[in-house]
């Protein structure tokens, strides 16, 4: 009743009241984001009481890379010294899969000053499901002008901030992207730089398109070897090692490598049981086409079947036919061509980021 009286006094319809409430909620959300960023900035300023060299000695350096979608993000490990700030792996910013924001300075700015401001962003790595990166255009006279990770002793004329638009977890969310853009804009104001930033709506559309393309190309091929009789684990292990497979760290999978790259692997197996079937798995987008991974996986499947008295079957347990193999090869040619056309060839570092 009280709400109806207010509506009558203000001359508002139900629609106008609803729009007003929605607008108020949006303002509250923006305020919360700004408060979070302000608190992070204050915390960073408190840490600035000790010397610059000491501060960089205590900043975290990130670990060996990103875990897969099931395992989640790897936690940062802490080292003795740190002179750069970067994403967990040394990937280069790529506009094909990243939202890229550029900051341009009228005069070159020191890397130490940039790092001091970005230090407040350490909470972003824990909150974000998408990896972000920062690169600077080296302005040192004695160095080649090139994009590089920010170094405290460096000098930079431009700064690029980027966040990945999509991965196997899906496209980036509107709140996550908006928060990143707000941080970039605040950084530009603090450093007194010009900013070149695409609209959030444009980047969200790009993220959805990228996610659709990735979903269509994220193919895992499998070859099943069904044994006529259960194969004792000891015999099976000896056969796999003879064929060049290596037991994975978890002790339940076998990996087939070439030049240090895993081309394909087996499904999980129980070392305490005899093996009745083994499935070989190939993540197509993660292996370069020139490795001919499917042909090599197929050949290994045939050799394992012959050595252990088995046969190749499809997922329904029906013998794998030559027609099915030909069909797979044709689909692979199309898939590789589509990845090349999109500028993200199979096995490239960009593909590794997108399909992770």
């Amino acid at each position: 009743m009280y709400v109806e009286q207010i509506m009558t006094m203000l001359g508002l319809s139900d629609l106008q009241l609803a729009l007003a409430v929605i607008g108020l909620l949006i303002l509250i959300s923006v305020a919360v984001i700004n408060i979070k960023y302000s608190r992070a900035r204050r915390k960073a300023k408190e840490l600035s009481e000790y010397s610059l060299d000491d501060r960089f000695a205590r900043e975290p350096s990130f670990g060996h890379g990103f875990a897969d979608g099931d395992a989640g993000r790897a936690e940062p490990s802490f080292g003795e010294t740190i002179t750069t700030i970067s994403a967990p792996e040394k990937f280069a910013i790529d506009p094909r899969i990243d939202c890229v924001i550029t900051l341009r300075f009228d005069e070159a700015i020191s890397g130490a000053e940039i790092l001091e401001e970005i230090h407040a962003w350490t909470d972003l790595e824990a909150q974000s499901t998408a990896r972000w990166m920062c690169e600077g255009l080296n302005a040192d006279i004695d160095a080649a002008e090139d994009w590089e990770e920010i170094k405290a002793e460096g000098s930079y004329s431009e700064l690029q901030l980027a966040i990945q638009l999509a991965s196997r977890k899906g496209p980036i969310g509107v709140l996550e992207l908006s928060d990143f853009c707000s941080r970039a804009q605040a950084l530009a104001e603090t450093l007194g730089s010009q900013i070149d930033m695409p609209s959030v709506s444009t980047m969200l559309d790009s993220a959805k398109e990228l996610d659709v393309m990735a979903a269509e190309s994220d193919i895992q091929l499998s070859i099943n070897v069904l044994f006529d009789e259960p194969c004792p684990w000891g015999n099976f292990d000896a056969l796999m090692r003879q064929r060049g497979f290596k037991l994975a760290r978890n002790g339940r999978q076998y990996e087939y490598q070439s030049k240090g790259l895993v081309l394909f692997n087996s499904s999980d197996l129980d070392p305490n049981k005899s093996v009745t079937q083994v499935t070989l798995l190939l993540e197509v987008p993660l292996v370069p086409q020139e490795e001919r991974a499917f042909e090599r996986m197929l050949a290994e499947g045939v050799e394992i079947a012959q050595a252990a008295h088995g046969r190749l079957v499809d997922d329904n347990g029906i013998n794998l036919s030559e027609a099915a193999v030909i069909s797979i090869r044709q689909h692979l040619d199309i898939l590789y061509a589509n990845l090349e056309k999109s500028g993200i060839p199979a096995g490239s570092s960009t593909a590794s980021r997108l399909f992770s």
Side-chain angles (χ1 to χ4, degrees):
M1 181 66 69
Y2 183 68
V3 175
E4 292 178 354
Q5 291 176 351
I6 294 177
M7 291 173 58
T8 303
M9 292 173 60
L10 297 178
L12 296 177
S13 66
D14 291 344
L15 176 60
Q16 289 172 324
L17 179 63
L19 291 175
V21 172
I22 292 173
L24 179 61
L25 291 176
I26 292 175
L27 288 175
I28 292 173
S29 299
V30 173
V32 170
I33 291 174
N34 288 335
I35 290 172
K36 287 173 59 182
Y37 181 76
S38 177
R39 287 179 178 174
R41 286 289 310 280
R42 286 201 303 271
K43 185 176 180 181
K45 292 298 182 183
E46 291 172 1
L47 294 174
S48 65
E49 294 178 358
Y50 48 83
S51 68
L52 184 63
D53 291 339
D54 189 39
R55 175 168 58 252
F56 287 126
R58 298 185 190 184
E59 283 188 11
S61 60
F62 293 98
H64 295 293
F66 290 86
D68 57 31
D70 294 331
R73 190 180 302 279
E75 292 293 329
S77 60
F78 292 82
E80 292 296 326
T81 60
I82 180 70
T83 56
T84 64
I85 182 167
S86 65
E89 280 195 15
K90 294 182 179 180
F91 290 115
I93 291 175
D94 192 332
R96 290 171 293 187
I97 63 173
D98 293 324
C99 166
V100 183
I101 300 174
T102 304
L103 276 59
R104 297 184 176 88
F105 308 106
D106 294 333
E107 295 182 359
I109 187 173
S110 71
E113 185 175 353
I114 297 172
L115 288 171
E116 181 177 2
E117 295 300 329
I118 294 184
H119 180 67
W121 291 31
T122 52
D123 65 314
L124 180 61
E125 188 65 36
Q127 297 174 4
S128 176
T129 59
R131 54 172 68 95
W132 69 277
M133 289 177 285
C134 176
E135 293 180 355
L137 185 60
N138 197 321
D140 292 339
I141 298 177
D142 298 332
E145 187 178 61
D146 199 6
W147 293 98
E148 64 180 26
E149 293 180 356
I150 304 299
K151 301 176 182 178
E153 67 276 12
S155 179
Y156 303 96
S157 59
E158 294 185 27
L159 185 66
Q160 281 190 340
L161 302 165
I163 191 166
Q164 190 166 321
L165 292 172
S167 67
R168 278 179 171 166
K169 298 176 182 178
I172 191 171
V174 59
L175 293 180
E176 194 171 4
L177 183 58
S178 298
D179 180 43
F180 182 78
C181 291
S182 296
R183 290 170 184 255
Q185 197 159 19
L187 180 65
E189 294 175 359
T190 301
L191 298 178
S193 68
Q194 303 174 36
I195 185 170
D196 182 7
M197 181 170 64
S199 69
V200 172
S201 60
T202 299
M203 286 297 97
L204 288 175
D205 289 341
S206 297
K208 292 176 182 178
E209 293 174 3
L210 183 63
D211 182 59
V212 170
M213 185 280 293
E216 293 173 347
S217 304
D218 196 5
I219 304 299
Q220 182 186 70
L221 292 179
S222 63
I223 290 180
N224 306 298
V225 182
L226 180 64
F227 301 120
D228 297 335
E229 298 290 339
C231 183
W233 178 261
N235 295 349
F236 178 79
D237 179 66
L239 172 60
M240 296 297 280
R241 294 179 186 274
Q242 181 183 359
R243 296 302 315 164
F245 287 83
K246 294 182 179 180
L247 191 63
R249 290 183 179 180
N250 61 13
R252 304 178 66 88
Q253 293 179 340
Y254 286 89
E255 298 175 342
Y256 192 91
Q257 301 183 4
S258 173
K259 305 172 186 176
L261 173 69
V262 176
L263 299 187
F264 49 89
N265 59 274
S266 74
S267 56
D268 278 356
L269 299 165
D270 188 347
N272 299 314
K273 296 181 179 179
S274 296
V275 181
T276 58
Q277 176 177 312
V278 60
T279 300
L280 303 181
L281 304 169
L282 164 62
E283 301 273 6
V284 177
L286 300 181
V287 183
Q289 182 179 6
E290 56 268 22
E291 290 290 347
R292 302 179 67 253
F294 174 70
E295 299 299 334
R296 295 167 76 169
M297 184 172 72
L298 178 62
E300 288 303 320
V302 170
E303 292 293 336
I304 293 170
Q306 291 179 347
H309 306 290
R311 54 195 174 92
L312 302 188
V313 298
D314 61 20
D315 293 337
N316 297 316
I318 302 174
N319 289 348
L320 189 65
S321 65
E322 182 64 25
V325 173
I326 293 174
S327 177
I328 292 174
R329 288 172 176 150
Q330 292 172 343
H331 281 87
L332 271 178
D333 290 340
I334 296 174
L335 175 60
Y336 285 130
N338 288 339
L339 286 170
E340 287 283 349
K341 185 178 180 180
S342 67
I344 308 175
S348 64
S349 60
T350 304
S352 297
R353 289 179 55 198
L354 180 59
F355 297 99
S356 65

